[in-house]
Amino acid sequence: MRKLRMGMIGGGPGAFIGAVHRAAAAMDGMIELVCGSFSSQPEKSKKMGEELKLSPERIYGSYEEMIHKEAALPADVRMDFVSIVTPNHVHFGPAKTTLEAGFDVVMDKPMTFDLFEAKELKAIVEKTGRYLCLTHTYSGYPMIKEAREQVKKGALGKIRKVFVTYPQGWLSDFLETSDNKQASWRTDPSRSGIAGAMGDIGTHAFNLAEYVSGLQVKSLCAHINIVVKGRKLDDDGAVFLQFNNGATGLLVASQVLAGEENTLTIKVYGEKGGMEWSHADANSLLLKWPDQPMQVLRAGTGYLGDFAKHNTRTPAGHPEGFLEAFANHYRNFALCVGAKKDGISPKEEWLDFPNAYDGVRGMAFIENVIASGKSEQKWTQFTV
Amino acid sequence: MRKLRMGMIGGGPGAFIGAVHRAAAAMDGMIELVCGSFSSQPEKSKKMGEELKLSPERIYGSYEEMIHKEAALPADVRMDFVSIVTPNHVHFGPAKTTLEAGFDVVMDKPMTFDLFEAKELKAIVEKTGRYLCLTHTYSGYPMIKEAREQVKKGALGKIRKVFVTYPQGWLSDFLETSDNKQASWRTDPSRSGIAGAMGDIGTHAFNLAEYVSGLQVKSLCAHINIVVKGRKLDDDGAVFLQFNNGATGLLVASQVLAGEENTLTIKVYGEKGGMEWSHADANSLLLKWPDQPMQVLRAGTGYLGDFAKHNTRTPAGHPEGFLEAFANHYRNFALCVGAKKDGISPKEEWLDFPNAYDGVRGMAFIENVIASGKSEQKWTQFTV
Amino acid sequence: MRKLRMGMIGGGPGAFIGAVHRAAAAMDGMIELVCGSFSSQPEKSKKMGEELKLSPERIYGSYEEMIHKEAALPADVRMDFVSIVTPNHVHFGPAKTTLEAGFDVVMDKPMTFDLFEAKELKAIVEKTGRYLCLTHTYSGYPMIKEAREQVKKGALGKIRKVFVTYPQGWLSDFLETSDNKQASWRTDPSRSGIAGAMGDIGTHAFNLAEYVSGLQVKSLCAHINIVVKGRKLDDDGAVFLQFNNGATGLLVASQVLAGEENTLTIKVYGEKGGMEWSHADANSLLLKWPDQPMQVLRAGTGYLGDFAKHNTRTPAGHPEGFLEAFANHYRNFALCVGAKKDGISPKEEWLDFPNAYDGVRGMAFIENVIASGKSEQKWTQFTV
Amino acid sequence: MRKLRMGMIGGGPGAFIGAVHRAAAAMDGMIELVCGSFSSQPEKSKKMGEELKLSPERIYGSYEEMIHKEAALPADVRMDFVSIVTPNHVHFGPAKTTLEAGFDVVMDKPMTFDLFEAKELKAIVEKTGRYLCLTHTYSGYPMIKEAREQVKKGALGKIRKVFVTYPQGWLSDFLETSDNKQASWRTDPSRSGIAGAMGDIGTHAFNLAEYVSGLQVKSLCAHINIVVKGRKLDDDGAVFLQFNNGATGLLVASQVLAGEENTLTIKVYGEKGGMEWSHADANSLLLKWPDQPMQVLRAGTGYLGDFAKHNTRTPAGHPEGFLEAFANHYRNFALCVGAKKDGISPKEEWLDFPNAYDGVRGMAFIENVIASGKSEQKWTQFTV
């Protein structure tokens, strides 16, 4: 497999997640950034492209231009796939255009602006036969892979409870009128969609809960709040969950927990034992047993399963972090895209990145959770 | 103040909490166990009393006998107060009889079998002018005292969120038919009341939330489960909370989280910062700030407030634990009872133990939370 | 076994460790304080005794008076044993007098003022056949008992390395001229002996190393410092250790590590695995394996060995602390003394408290470590 | 500044550290691998180069060939610098040749095979005016940068104690005859030099101690062991340290602590407070105070100093790890090399990577520590 050529949409000056995507893509030497449309303002796009040392002719003023011109380049020059890192309301358009032009796609979450777009995008993915990788970072962590494998092989017995908590504090104050670019669009319904915290981080938590447990939420009861006065979208919430196997659970997502950073945590309990992973100690996975000592499984060790091992670069005690988790999605996506080009079958471990199915689930979560938040009835069926 | 003489009701062979009460009462050299009615079976009571080296004539066959005979003893011999450590359905009777006979009372939680009894008992306390100490252990921890003081002095600003979680795993299996005495009565509606986990540990969590925040729950939405097949009372649940100042919160109490021990945790967030205490690290209190490093306050240090200092015996780095927290309630209760005997005014720090007011709140929590659990409406007003 | 009657020497107003001994003795309802000689100043002794609610006639003005008069009381009234909690230079005299008067002894560490006294005291113990319990607190922790058992049963394989570290910070400043009573005598050669930190806390660390590993130090190399200007005794040091089985190790004891509390830590490594215990998380014991997940053993669980179980009062997740560890020594001592009175054989678990043998080892450590600190040769043979 | 072109010497199939260097170099999009001589066996070099998708003509059979041919390429094509990731005995030759051919150098530690080579290499660096970056990973961590700044600005007061501990367990067994490539050369005196653990990880610990404290070791006393039978080089040791300001300290480095991973830890204490950093929680720095709560400083926050901020990519709560720390050295080196090319002055933060001076100190540490280990005298002067 040769090095893949990446184009980027979004990620201009001041964007947080664009730089993360670029570092993650670069880390394993499998992907090279060759072109980009970094901003809807051509001047800004040009500035960013230059900073990234791209050839001037491959810095584009709009994503449509990029896709059009790249598609016209010779096969051994043109980009192989596109990374979309724009705000939510500019997800669907670029993704659709990219896929239909014959390119694979990596894109940031949540997948689209609303559920309708999500289902349509999933249909386009299926029709075009392209890969779509949705960067739900946390399922890229090796110990989350291990957590999923432990559940799958039945180590905990039948799952009874799933707790997932995503606390942040950065929106404790009213930053909407500050020059904080992140705060500005993430709290704006016209760019974020109908949800604030539930869309921004609740979807991560939801994805993690379903990914690790292997279960599907079938109904929920949400308590959704706008804590900071003047804010237009939810900045705090908690949700009771019911899963398709009879298990129940809880999801908490808040961006107004002053002093909290980003400590996403998941705990899963079955008939035989419990499991805990926290982003604060991302290279460990705790297994808890009623009648035996708790075990601390560690990334980089020999006793882990295939998925954890495949998604680790360094030996135990050499911590990998957020960028590496992100890079795991890029690497797996690249392995699949490369395999397709090379005409070989992807391994199961390579296919293990969030995709359009997860994207639709996430958008459905947003719609259901906001609906439930407004309802006076306790339970809302989870519909897609 | 002289040493106080304690009588005990309950706490016979095989009881867990009776031994805890005795150790807690003994620790500070202020209280002496002089008599007891340790079981409803006179033989068992006798056996226990002998094991505890009591004078044979002060080991009683029933609590009525004990109260009656002790009341008849000379003032410098008879017991000063009674500690009630029976199952819930045998709380009200002994407490009423004791109070009306002119003795003060320490008793285990929840205060009574139902809310009706609780309100009546509170009225008796008020009428008799006796002290009633309800052993909600966790508010006895020095760093919980400090947490309350930090909130009270406004360190966190206006409180927005309160999370309290009480995970246990010991009822993950169906132990009702085993010889586990604890499991047997705590899962039996005729001895425990209408609630299982919510009564046994949910009330602790509820008490802690109100004690630390200084707020009152005004409505709630509960998701209550019986997870283990065949069980008669709830063994798992989660509750959304709304407080009287507009803050919201979450309470989790479960006894089926396999592998969990007893790690009660509380997190409180205000406009300015956050706070976290966990029973797993009971001698620390974390203060989290948006723009400053997190601070770790420690028991036994000089910078703590008066309430924390008053409830600590050893210097920093010499951990105190569960028995010491329990002993703090006994010590404060004893200081108040002693002060009354000596005709002096109790200090504010001495009066700081859970009382009949907290007992009524706790029983109201049980009734409200179980009602909400059965309701299809999202919110239930918290009524007392 | 009836309740044992305790007399106390030392522990007057302002003493730290006296109150600890009293709480530890009281906790399990097996011991009752009946008399005391709390200070070399009769006025202070009287004041303390009254505060402790003792009968006035059993508050004594000197330890000689106490021992003499108590010995003359009827057998069913007089004290059973004596607890000695004076500064080091007043250890030997009271202990000798007490033992020779036919009473058992609990005493604080280090055992005596110098090695010569220690050996003599050990001889007296042997001659009189009395019990002597030396309160090296840390070997009273249940998870330290478990650590010792794990080594003994070979879980770690042949021991290769022992690290023990005892950091404190309370002597970072020159407190000798302040009114800090602790600082005053512990830094005074005429009351402490030839060692400061090495005597006060180094002996705890040394005792723990030998207790847990089951090994004996046979040579050492010490780096001993007086960090704070004007201080007369060492306040900081580190020691290389060689053990009788070929293992090596390291002991660190310092009282000038500003900001440290009292986090004694021990790590032991064998051919098969490692083990770690820290006073900061005293109810856990970590077992580390090369090819398996780390295990976290917890106090109060069912899978622990007999010694850990015997020294625990509460179930897992209900933390016991410093006073409970201390109380374990008192309880075991009391069980042995009681067994002697009852004419029964003590169990192996009861005999498991530090004794005169450990006291001699500790005093030899002080002499050897100070000698090595002054030597320009690297290694000093450990001689007793 | 344009993207820099990197050549690599070493890092062929099975090498651990080569892949780390490549990921670190790639992460920030500032460096591109363009050529390499990956093995002394041309076949292996070719294989590796192909795997890395290099142009066939720039995969070389020997480092001499690479340097010679690259130097002859046009300025806008040829490599800018070389990364040397060979075993120790193949450090000096490639580095000398590279520098003298006019290229800058990144190289793995320890700098050379012996002190003599180190001093010569330092002289060559000075003569040629080239940059040499020595990858002592741990000083690349942002919270280590912060630790150094805290010391430098006097937050802890005058430094009194420095403890640095580097525990590993991977050499607990005799792996020399296994197919473990790492174990094979690192325990072989003809490839590693006179030291095993002290050279491999002791030099990291030594570098960290001097880097963070800003002090220099002036004498030491070492206890050096070969624990595993049959091993030719030390696998375990501890060292007392004396620093040039009067502070003392301790260095521990061992590769036979079964069950340990790679938890390098440093603790520094001054007159006013203490500081602790552990590789197990690399994104935190603890500041401990005698009379104030401990503070936990976190990577990615706004309150950190310039050096920490410059070496961080993600906001607080998004952990960076080993590869990012490594990448910080590469990035700073690249910024300096780029600045030189662009004719601008490097910032102080850019120059902050380990260099030939540190390399000489490290090699002197090896010689002094091994000499002290063999000496019967306690103290050995640290000579360079």
Side-chain angles (χ1 to χ4, degrees), chain A residues 161 260 269 288 372 378, chain B residues 236 260 269 288 372 378:
Chain A
K161 297 291 300 185
E260 292 294 342
Y269 299 89
K288 305 179 180 188
S372 171
K378 193 182 274 179
Chain B
D236 171 87
E260 292 295 342
Y269 299 90
K288 305 180 179 187
S372 172
K378 194 183 273 178

Side-chain angles (χ1 to χ4, degrees), chain B residues 66 153 183 189 251 261 288 297 335 364 377:
Chain B
M66 177 172 97
K153 75 183 188 196
L251 181 153
E261 296 178 344
K288 305 180 179 187
L297 281 65
L335 285 166
Q377 285 300 105

Side-chain angles (χ1 to χ4, degrees), chain C residues 198-199 202-203 206 220 239 241 251 360-370 382-383:
Chain C
M198 281 296 151
T203 49
F206 174 81
L220 49 73
V239 193
L241 304 171
L251 180 153
V360 169
R361 294 288 300 167
M363 293 311 299
F365 169 72
I366 290 175
E367 307 242 336
N368 284 287
V369 87
I370 296 299
F382 190 95
T383 53

Side-chain angles (χ1 to χ4, degrees), chain D residues 9-22:
Chain D
I9 299 174
F16 154 58
I17 208 68
V20 167
H21 278 258
R22 288 189 295 263

Side-chain angles (χ1 to χ4, degrees), chain C residues 22-34:
Chain C
R22 288 189 295 263
M27 190 180 292
D28 293 303
M30 301 169 72
I31 295 167
E32 181 178 15
L33 178 69
V34 296

Side-chain angles (χ1 to χ4, degrees), chain C residues 112-120 360 363-364 367-368 383-384:
Chain C
T112 51
F113 189 71
D114 59 27
L115 178 57
F116 179 84
E117 282 185 1
K119 290 197 275 194
E120 197 168 330
V360 169
M363 293 311 299
E367 307 242 336
N368 284 287
T383 53
V384 180

Side-chain angles (χ1 to χ4, degrees), chain A residues 151 156-163 213 215 241-250 267-274 290, chain B residues 168-175 223 225-231 235-236 254-259:
Chain A
V151 170
L156 307 184
K158 192 190 161 207
I159 300 307
R160 289 169 162 179
K161 297 291 300 185
V162 179
F163 297 89
S213 70
L215 302 174
L241 305 171
Q242 293 186 315
F243 292 92
N244 56 340
N245 79 331
T248 61
L250 188 62
K267 302 183 189 184
V268 178
Y269 299 89
E271 290 178 347
K272 296 188 203 164
Chain B
Q168 291 186 334
W170 68 288
L171 285 176
S172 292
D173 291 321
F174 188 76
L175 303 178
H223 180 202
N225 302 298
I226 294 178
V227 171
V228 172
K229 199 173 285 185
R231 185 154 290 158
D235 49 19
D236 171 87
S254 178
Q255 299 182 309
V256 295
L257 304 181

